[in-house]
Amino acid sequence: MSIKTIDKPMQGSAGIAKKINKGAEKMVFDILQSTQYSMPIQSTIRELVTNACDSQREKEVALEIITGKKQVQDYYIERHGAQYEDSNFDISYYNAAHLQHGKNHVDLLYTENEGVGYCDTFSVTDYGVGIGGKRLEGILELGYSTKRNTSENFGAFGLGAKAALSTGVDFYTIETIYNGMRFKCNCYNYKTDFIIPAFNVKTGMQNKFITFSDGTKVYYEHSNEVNQTTVSFGVKKHNRSKFRDAVEEQLLYFNNVEFTIKYEDGESRNVPFKAEVLHNSENLIVADSYYFSKPHIVLVKDKNASTGINYGYIDFKELEMQ
């Protein structure tokens, strides 16, 4: 199994530890969240969808372990240290009664709206494990990840969830349901606002809350829905076609993603974009897609996998192999 190792052994003496200059913290936040992607729209779709697919896969793995079909060691190794502690399997995080047993796909929705500025919306919804407990606080941190001790997921570095900020929006919204609790927050470059109020406007009753490690109270509403998470953000009208093209470019080889466009007149249409795999071997995927009519570079999790991220076509001139 391929496990993510994110640190390097120290060479020579301990020396003086490196740290981020206090005055440059916001600049580092900008680099990691907003300016590191050369193609923000494509990268945002890739990062958000792979996160959603990771949550779906984590749910499937958790159910197999909970029901006794598999053992923890079939999917995870256990490692300790600050960078790996959150990635060890914790069975107490999961409750089978709150997990969706039917839906194993990811929904993408592009909604066209009237207005100017970031009036359209793009959202990614998974029906995976939900975000709660320590994770709810952890996802607000750069570098937090639960995926480093398993090869079942794409992610590992704890940066992809913030990718929407690279498109120029002021914030993106996370709405998640975890074990009967519904949380909602707006995530900005340097802060996060949780927007479930202390009092429920419908019932007039006070909402319950959880407490973060720094003492912050985060309120939530009760929900009868199964665990799920939606990440959404605004889009400018002139980028409509770019988002549609990016879904096709990046996600050709994802078999569990559905894409729907809701038009200004209220009509909704499912958009087909997936490539049908005709042949799959250790190093080669042959599909029926004519996108660019050139060979693609596809990043997969395991050899022989037919699901992967399309990183564009191979430029043989750049490789000097024309």
Side-chain angles (χ1 to χ4, degrees), residues 2 14 24 49-50 78 84 100 109 114 131 138 150 161 190 192 206 229 248 258 289 300 305 309 318:
S2 175
V49 172
T50 52
E78 186 171 336
Y84 300 118
Q100 171 63 256
L109 175 63
E114 295 181 356
I131 306 171
T150 178
Y190 315 123
T192 299
Q206 184 171 6
T229 300
E248 181 175 359
E258 303 293 334
S289 172
V300 298
I309 308 164
E318 186 173 337

Side-chain angles (χ1 to χ4, degrees), residues 6-194:
I6 64 166
D7 56 355
K8 295 181 179 180
M10 188 176 294
Q11 303 293 327
S13 60
I16 301 172
K18 285 187 176 181
K19 53 187 176 182
I20 297 174
N21 178 270
K22 205 65 177 166
E25 283 184 349
K26 287 188 176 180
M27 181 181 69
V28 173
F29 276 117
D30 288 340
I31 291 171
L32 294 177
Q33 296 179 127
S34 304
T35 63
Q36 68 161 315
Y37 303 108
S38 59
M39 296 186 291
I41 294 175
Q42 292 91 328
S43 297
T44 296
I45 287 174
R46 179 184 70 243
E47 297 293 343
L48 295 184
V49 172
T50 52
N51 275 350
C53 290
D54 284 346
S55 182
Q56 298 278 58
R57 181 56 183 153
E58 183 182 352
K59 175 192 69 176
E60 296 167 8
V61 168
L63 286 172
E64 289 183 355
I65 294 174
I66 291 171
T67 57
K69 295 179 181 179
K70 294 285 186 178
Q71 301 297 313
V72 174
Q73 56 268 29
D74 291 329
Y75 294 114
Y76 289 83
I77 65 169
E78 186 171 336
R79 290 188 292 185
H80 298 284
Q83 68 272 53
Y84 300 118
E85 209 64 51
D86 295 312
S87 297
N88 290 323
F89 183 77
D90 179 10
I91 197 169
S92 67
Y93 186 79
Y94 311 97
N95 184 329
H98 289 279
L99 296 178
Q100 171 63 256
H101 292 247
K103 290 184 179 179
N104 290 314
H105 70 278
V106 172
D107 280 323
L108 309 184
L109 175 63
Y110 190 102
T111 304
E112 298 182 354
N113 297 307
E114 295 181 356
V116 295
Y118 291 93
C119 56
D120 290 356
T121 58
F122 185 83
S123 66
V124 179
T125 301
D126 70 73
Y127 307 94
V129 299
I131 306 171
K134 290 194 306 180
R135 293 192 186 189
L136 191 63
E137 185 173 2
I139 62 163
L140 309 180
E141 303 171 352
L142 292 176
Y144 176 86
S145 178
T146 61
K147 308 172 186 178
R148 292 169 185 151
N149 291 340
T150 178
S151 63
E152 293 299 311
N153 299 319
F154 285 104
F157 297 102
L159 299 174
K162 291 80 174 172
L165 294 173
S166 69
T167 64
V169 292
D170 291 331
F171 66 91
Y172 60 93
T173 300
I174 299 176
E175 184 171 357
T176 187
I177 298 171
Y178 171 73
N179 292 0
M181 297 176 285
R182 174 179 169 267
F183 299 93
K184 189 173 183 180
C185 61
N186 291 333
C187 303
Y188 297 80
N189 281 58
Y190 315 123
K191 68 164 187 171
T192 299
D193 289 337
F194 283 87

